[in-house]
Amino acid sequence: MPMISINNVNKWYGAHFQALKDCTTSVEAGEVVVVCGPSGSGKSTLIKTINALEPIQGGEIIVDGVQVTSPKTNLPKLRARVGMVFQHFELFPHLRITDNLCLGQQKVLGRSREEAMGKALRLLDRVGLKDHAEKYPGQLSGGQQQRVAIARALVMDPVCMLFDEPTSALDPEMINEVLDVMVELAREGMTMMVVTHEMGFARKVAHRVIFMDSGEIVEDARKEDFFAHPRSERARLFLSKILHH
Amino acid sequence: MNVFSDFDFNIIVRSLPYLFREGMTFTLTLTAIATVGGVLLGTLIAMARLSSLPVLPAIAASYVNVMRALPLVLVIFLFYFLMPYIGQWLLHTDRPIKVGALSSTIITFTLFEAAYFSEIMRAGIQSIPRGQVAAGYAIGLTYPQMMRYVVLPQAFRNMLPVIFTQMIVLFQDTSLVYVLSITDFLGAASKVGQRDGRLTEMYLFAAVVYFIISLTASTLVKRLQARIAIAR
């Protein structure tokens, strides 16, 4: 069974604008899937439906055997097992880095302060930011904040990780430090769904690429096939635009 | 001839212990209780107003609108006379319960200020980016946890200068309790003045004290505002 199944998902904003049109795809355990497409194509919306941050009006989503869309689902419990990294980091500015990493562990997973702290420091070390543990998010650079945000998701021991344009709010010189962490994570076998325009990252670690346009999944192909011979004209156009330089 | 030659400023010195130990203590206590109670209740009202549940926002909005449409003096009187009956209704007693002027005042000010603090907290909650809410949910927090640990601390912090400014207004408004013959600072000054026929001196002194305290407090708020602005 796939880690994430997305079946015929439809989403409307209001009565007229359909943000997602009959989207169907899946992500196997250990798979890395990159979602790309022009802005406004619905890729961020799609990834946010997976942990129910965006409600859907039709179709179903199953994560690790749990029906996301069922009203009976305990959403907080599900979300705690799905790591999410946002475009604008969204660290909690009023909490120290360590407290950003301990909050979910203590309040959601019920870990003791010591246990949570130990885990937090291990993960901070892993993303190379142990020295900044007692700082506040505002004292870190964008790249550092995004690495902390990845660590904040990882301390929860997620079964999969969702990345919503994790590098698009970063200055160019900080993009790589974040991508390095993501590449390492992918190589360790983490199940990942990544909305990004970083085609270098996609070539390096993705197994599959999903291309979206106007709310539709236009292409869903193995990485090699996608880059070598995109089937649709829209994907070809998109690739030619972003791989131009 | 000195215009002040008719005045006896010694009366102030002699009544200082009474003015501050009785009057100012009450004024500050009422200000503190109504602020803490008002912010707590106001936060709940703000959350009710912003909730997506059906009837709750309308009820909360009506409460705020009613309170803000009535003069405080009227509310003080109204509650003082109504509270015994409300108590009777709530507690199912045979007769109207006895509510002293003191408890009536504390309840009135808390309820009244809650309407104003709720507007402040509502603005504070709305000032928190939606991404913060999403991030809170994404790590598995429930709605109450997300509000408690992510949104409200930031909202409260952002609104602290406004909350303190409202508190200064409240500090001055507490003088209205004189209508129930409670001895707050102004009431104490007034009583001494009436007893000794020295109302002018006492009111002048009271004005100076209110002015100094309010001005000092608002200067401190300005400094706090600058510090919060840097920390963000």
Side-chain angles (χ1 to χ4, degrees):
Chain A
M1 194 167 70
M3 180 64 77
I4 302 170
S5 304
I6 297 170
N7 300 323
N8 308 101
V9 166
N10 283 291
K11 178 181 177 65
W12 281 269
Y13 283 117
H16 302 293
F17 181 69
Q18 188 167 6
L20 295 176
K21 295 175 190 160
D22 211 30
C23 294
T24 299
T25 188
S26 63
V27 181
E28 296 295 326
E31 202 175 21
V32 177
V33 174
V34 161
V35 185
C36 61
S39 55
S41 60
K43 47 198 196 306
S44 283
T45 308
L46 180 71
I47 204 167
K48 283 180 186 154
T49 61
I50 294 169
N51 62 354
L53 286 180
E54 289 280 359
I56 58 173
Q57 281 79 42
E60 64 164 8
I61 297 170
I62 300 166
V63 176
D64 198 26
V66 180
Q67 283 267 5
V68 178
T69 39
S70 157
K72 286 185 204 128
T73 300
N74 182 339
L75 280 183
K77 206 174 154 194
L78 171 81
R79 287 172 178 146
R81 308 180 60 221
V82 178
M84 179 134 201
V85 176
F86 298 87
Q87 182 177 5
H88 296 287
F89 332 132
E90 304 300 349
L91 294 177
F92 306 128
H94 59 301
L95 300 179
R96 290 176 194 281
I97 300 304
T98 44
D99 291 324
N100 264 277
L101 271 63
C102 287
L103 182 63
Q105 295 190 72
Q106 291 180 252
K107 302 300 169 194
V108 179
L109 303 180
R111 288 181 185 157
S112 69
R113 176 76 189 173
E114 294 71 46
E115 196 187 354
M117 199 63 159
K119 183 101 185 168
L121 292 176
R122 275 201 301 286
L123 264 302
L124 277 181
D125 193 25
R126 187 173 150 181
V127 298
L129 292 170
K130 206 173 183 178
D131 296 343
H132 301 279
E134 292 307 314
K135 290 188 180 170
Y136 286 91
Q139 297 170 285
L140 302 187
S141 73
Q144 291 172 329
Q145 288 192 52
Q146 194 61 301
R147 279 144 69 199
V148 171
I150 295 173
R152 179 177 67 182
L154 291 175
V155 292
M156 303 295 284
D157 296 319
V159 294
C160 60
M161 289 280 289
L162 308 173
F163 294 83
D164 182 13
E165 306 210 29
T167 58
S168 52
L170 294 175
D171 291 336
E173 75 269 22
M174 293 174 183
I175 290 177
N176 281 331
E177 61 186 82
V178 173
L179 289 179
D180 287 346
V181 173
M182 291 168 62
V183 167
E184 200 188 306
L185 203 55
R187 294 205 164 130
E188 283 167 15
M190 175 61 79
T191 309
M192 293 164 67
M193 196 159 175
V194 186
V195 173
T196 185
H197 290 145
E198 296 294 334
M199 289 302 126
F201 172 81
R203 281 181 198 277
K204 210 180 210 168
V205 294
H207 299 104
R208 267 169 46 228
V209 177
I210 291 172
F211 174 73
M212 291 185 72
D213 193 13
S214 331
E216 283 174 283
I217 293 181
V218 178
E219 214 149 323
D220 185 346
R222 285 175 53 229
K223 163 184 68 180
E224 296 78 11
D225 298 338
F226 180 76
F227 287 115
H229 355 265
R231 286 191 305 268
S232 66
E233 185 55 37
R234 282 189 281 184
R236 265 197 290 276
L237 199 66
F238 176 76
L239 278 178
S240 75
K241 271 181 193 157
I242 68 167
L243 298 178
H244 200 65
H245 301 286
Chain B
M1 191 175 131
N2 190 345
V3 276
F4 290 118
S5 60
D6 275 352
F7 290 1
D8 171 19
F9 287 104
N10 244 331
I11 178 88
I12 296 168
V13 182
R14 275 180 277 128
S15 57
L16 275 182
Y18 172 70
L19 287 178
F20 281 90
R21 226 177 277 156
E22 299 255 327
M24 190 50 87
T25 306
F26 175 82
T27 295
L28 292 179
T29 309
L30 179 58
T31 306
I33 294 176
T35 302
V36 174
V39 167
L40 290 177
L41 185 61
T43 302
L44 292 177
I45 295 170
M47 283 165 66
R49 259 195 112 161
L50 294 170
S51 100
S52 51
L53 295 170
V55 205
L56 217 48
I59 297 174
S62 317
Y63 178 86
V64 173
N65 289 334
V66 169
M67 281 302 186
R68 298 210 306 174
L70 300 176
L72 179 52
V73 186
L74 175 62
V75 178
I76 293 171
F77 272 131
L78 204 59
F79 274 50
Y80 181 57
F81 293 115
L82 272 181
M83 208 122 22
Y85 298 99
I86 296 173
Q88 179 187 18
W89 176 66
L90 282 177
L91 301 171
H92 305 289
T93 49
D94 299 336
R95 278 171 212 201
I97 59 164
K98 274 194 184 140
V99 182
L102 193 65
S103 7
S104 164
T105 314
I106 289 173
I107 296 170
T108 305
F109 270 84
T110 304
L111 292 177
F112 188 81
E113 289 301 319
Y116 288 85
F117 282 122
S118 85
E119 288 296 273
I120 295 171
M121 285 309 291
R122 184 163 72 120
I125 291 169
Q126 285 177 320
S127 75
I128 307 304
R130 289 175 58 100
Q132 287 286 301
V133 175
Y137 281 141
I139 59 169
L141 298 180
T142 59
Y143 173 79
Q145 287 176 325
M146 187 275 296
M147 291 305 284
R148 160 84 179 75
Y149 298 111
V150 177
V151 172
L152 290 180
Q154 295 187 63
F156 185 73
R157 192 193 157 124
N158 291 356
M159 288 297 125
L160 216 47
V162 193
I163 288 172
F164 279 129
T165 304
Q166 178 66 25
M167 191 176 174
I168 295 168
V169 175
L170 167 61
F171 165 72
Q172 293 159 15
D173 284 353
T174 53
S175 58
L176 289 173
V177 298
Y178 86 92
V179 295
L180 300 183
S181 323
I182 291 172
T183 310
D184 72 318
F185 181 71
L186 185 60
S190 186
K191 274 177 195 167
V192 173
Q194 270 164 8
R195 185 195 63 200
D196 296 0
R198 293 288 171 192
L199 275 173
T200 316
E201 291 88 335
M202 294 312 292
Y203 282 144
L204 260 178
F205 177 65
V208 169
V209 171
Y210 275 105
F211 174 76
I212 289 174
I213 293 179
S214 299
L215 187 73
T216 311
S218 64
T219 309
L220 290 175
V221 169
K222 265 190 206 121
R223 259 191 230 167
L224 174 81
Q225 210 160 10
R227 268 188 53 189
I228 285 180
I230 292 166
R232 295 236 90 204

